[in-house]
Amino acid sequence: MKTSLFTGWQARFHAVCLLMLFSALAVGAFSGTAHAQAQVSPAPSETVAVEPLPTAEAPAPAAAAAEAEAAPAYDRGDVAWMLTSTLLVLLMVVPGLALFYGGLVRSKNVLSVLSQILVVFSLVLMLWVAYGYSAVFSEGNQFFGSFTQFAFLKGFAPDSVGNTPIKGLPDYLFVAFQSTFAGITTALIVGAFAERIKFKAVLLFSALWFTLSYIPMAHIVWGGGYLGAMGAIDFAGGTVVHINAGVAGLVAAYFVGKRIGYGQTALKPHNVPFTYIGAMLLWVGWFGFNAGSAAAADTVASLAFINTILATAAAVLGWTLVEAVSKGKPSALGAASGAVAGLVGITPACGTVGPLGAIVIGLVTGVVCVWGVTGLKRLLKVDDTADVFGVHGVGGIVGALLTGVFSAQSLGGTKADLDIGHQVWVQLVSVGFTIVWCAVVTVAILLVVRLVFGLRVTEEAERTGLDVTSHGESAYEV
């Protein structure tokens, strides 16, 4: 019985399959006949007038206008690179610079240095948006732009493009990139008077110094001012950033005075690995600083990129060699300091010199900066805690002067028909102008800050440590 039912089911299944097969053949034959008919049917004898469609080669005027209006006014690759560069410069400050300086001070003051750098950087970013960008990149005189023309980014919008000196970038992106330069320059000075200055004095000093030293120097060099019109070459901030901050640090160190025990007891760095890590983060972030100053993902950025690699490596070798010869043992702290010196030296030249020129600049800067933090420091009799002047001031001066030499096309640079003698003279004038302007302004600012808040903490607070006395916390619990 089960067998007969199963057999009947199979028979019915086979019948259905055959029926489906015959149906498919019939449909195929019908469609083939219809298709053949469509192929051979004669065209109608009546002439039909048709309107020609616009071809791809000649789009309709309205469509072309709409397409042009919809096209972005910037290159997406350039925008991506500049967004990345801005983040890299941020990396230079926090955590790069913070760790570099934090490791150089004693353990009782490390949090005070970290706090000062972070808060000063944040303060300057706010001031940059409020009036800094306007005063640097608006029309004005040879020394200042307008403090109100673009105040609080007036006239800019999220989709506005082409209203900054770099026409191919969204406005907000250029403002953001330049804000990091202002912030790190002011934060660099912190290392000179670390371990003995009042926190509120640091903030007032930073606000005034940014307004009266950084803003005019940036306008004078990059904003169409005096030195820029003279032809001074400063691709990414040798005068504006490093000499400016280095001189300010030297003057401030004199005004605040030496730390208790300086020259009598060894005031050693409490954490050299912190400083080493900070230096390496600075090297990574510096590619945004230097190559980002090309403001495009192009051959100039590539040149600045390779120069930043080579000059830094050459400076590390130069510093290490000098230490090995003079002290008998090269130190990790020296190698890290050499890296920073090389970065400083190549900054003004990175977009205009060739790779061989970059190597020479890095090597010379590394060697000279060893003297800057040892022999020169002793001659000046100053307690510059983190050697801000010895590295940034001296390195910036060396780099700015050698920029006038190796930017010549005859020496591998990009400047054709450059009169080396004349350009070195222009570079020397820019260095001298920066030193004098910054020194005078910094003295005036420190006098005001001393009158308002005072500069130095009490002797008891300094002996206890600024972490506890200024911030109420300690980095290391014993």
Side-chain angles (χ1 to χ4, degrees):
M1 184 68 180
K2 290 181 180 179
T3 304
S4 62
L5 287 175
F6 180 73
T7 303
W9 175 83
Q10 281 186 322
R12 287 193 296 273
F13 177 72
H14 291 159
V16 172
C17 289
L18 288 173
L19 180 62
M20 293 176 63
L21 178 62
F22 286 129
S23 299
L25 292 173
V27 171
F30 176 77
S31 62
T33 305
H35 180 66
Q37 289 177 349
Q39 293 280 346
V40 299
S41 297
S45 59
E46 181 181 358
T47 302
V48 179
V50 296
E51 181 180 353
L53 295 174
T55 62
E57 291 78 7
E67 184 178 351
E69 184 178 354
Y74 53 83
D75 183 273
R76 295 183 187 276
D78 292 344
V79 171
W81 168 239
M82 293 307 296
L83 289 169
T84 304
S85 295
T86 305
L87 288 175
L88 287 172
V89 182
L90 177 61
L91 179 73
M92 291 174 65
V93 191
V94 282
L97 182 65
L99 286 174
F100 185 79
Y101 282 173
L104 290 174
V105 299
R106 289 165 290 177
S107 59
K108 62 184 179 180
N109 296 311
V110 57
L111 293 181
S112 71
V113 172
L114 300 182
S115 298
Q116 288 172 18
I117 290 173
L118 176 59
V119 177
V120 164
F121 182 72
S122 301
L123 172 64
V124 171
L125 295 186
M126 296 297 101
L127 298 179
W128 179 256
V129 170
Y131 59 82
Y133 173 82
S134 181
V136 172
F137 291 107
S138 64
E139 293 184 4
N141 54 42
Q142 292 291 305
F143 305 101
F144 288 93
S146 169
F147 280 78
T148 58
Q149 183 176 350
F150 302 120
F152 293 99
L153 307 186
K154 180 174 59 178
F156 290 0
D159 58 350
S160 63
V161 178
N163 298 310
T164 67
I166 305 300
K167 301 302 182 184
L169 293 179
D171 296 341
Y172 283 159
L173 177 53
F174 181 75
V175 173
F177 179 68
Q178 289 294 330
S179 73
T180 59
F181 277 62
I184 192 172
T185 304
T186 313
L188 282 172
I189 306 169
V190 166
F193 44 57
E195 299 197 287
R196 71 258 198 207
I197 194 170
K198 294 180 179 178
F199 185 68
K200 55 188 176 183
V202 173
L203 298 185
L204 179 58
F205 169 83
S206 299
L208 294 175
W209 189 88
F210 162 74
T211 304
L212 299 175
S213 192
Y214 181 83
I215 284 178
M217 283 306 307
H219 179 78
I220 288 166
V221 176
W222 294 332
Y226 170 63
L227 294 178
M230 181 185 292
I233 302 174
D234 189 355
F235 189 79
T239 51
V240 178
V241 177
H242 297 293
I243 300 176
N244 206 9
V247 171
L250 179 65
V251 174
Y254 274 121
F255 263 75
V256 178
K258 299 177 182 178
R259 290 167 289 176
I260 296 174
Y262 181 79
Q264 302 170 355
T265 60
L267 306 178
K268 295 182 179 180
H270 92 283
N271 196 320
V272 174
F274 269 20
T275 299
Y276 181 88
I277 293 170
M280 298 307 100
L281 288 171
L282 283 168
W283 192 353
V284 173
W286 222 289
F287 290 104
F289 198 86
N290 282 357
S293 292
D298 59 10
T299 55
V300 179
S302 301
L303 177 63
F305 203 98
I306 191 171
N307 285 342
T308 303
I309 292 176
L310 296 177
T312 309
V316 170
L317 295 177
W319 192 301
T320 301
L321 178 62
V322 171
E323 275 199 340
V325 172
S326 61
K327 298 181 179 180
K329 294 180 181 179
S331 66
L333 180 58
S337 300
V340 177
L343 291 165
V344 171
I346 197 60
T347 292
C350 59
T352 59
V353 304
L356 293 180
I359 292 173
V360 174
I361 290 173
L363 185 63
V364 173
T365 305
V367 171
V368 173
C369 283
V370 177
W371 170 76
V373 304
T374 53
L376 179 61
K377 188 175 181 179
R378 286 193 295 268
L379 288 174
L380 296 174
K381 298 180 180 179
V382 62
D383 181 12
D384 181 351
T385 306
D387 292 316
V388 177
F389 181 74
V391 174
H392 295 275
V394 173
I397 292 170
V398 172
L401 295 178
L402 292 181
T403 298
V405 177
F406 291 100
S407 292
Q409 198 171 64
S410 59
L411 294 177
T414 63
K415 301 292 184 180
D417 302 322
L418 181 72
D419 184 335
I420 294 177
H422 173 71
Q423 189 61 48
V424 170
W425 168 252
V426 172
Q427 298 299 109
L428 182 62
V429 170
S430 69
V431 168
F433 181 92
T434 305
I435 292 172
V436 173
W437 180 284
C438 180
V440 172
V441 168
T442 304
V443 168
I445 291 171
L446 288 167
L447 290 173
V448 172
V449 175
R450 187 164 65 182
L451 181 64
V452 176
F453 289 136
L455 292 173
R456 189 163 182 149
V457 299
T458 64
E459 182 177 340
E460 180 183 357
E462 184 177 347
R463 291 187 183 279
T464 302
L466 302 190
D467 288 0
V468 173
T469 57
S470 296
H471 303 283
E473 53 190 346
S474 178
Y476 308 102
E477 298 295 336
V478 180

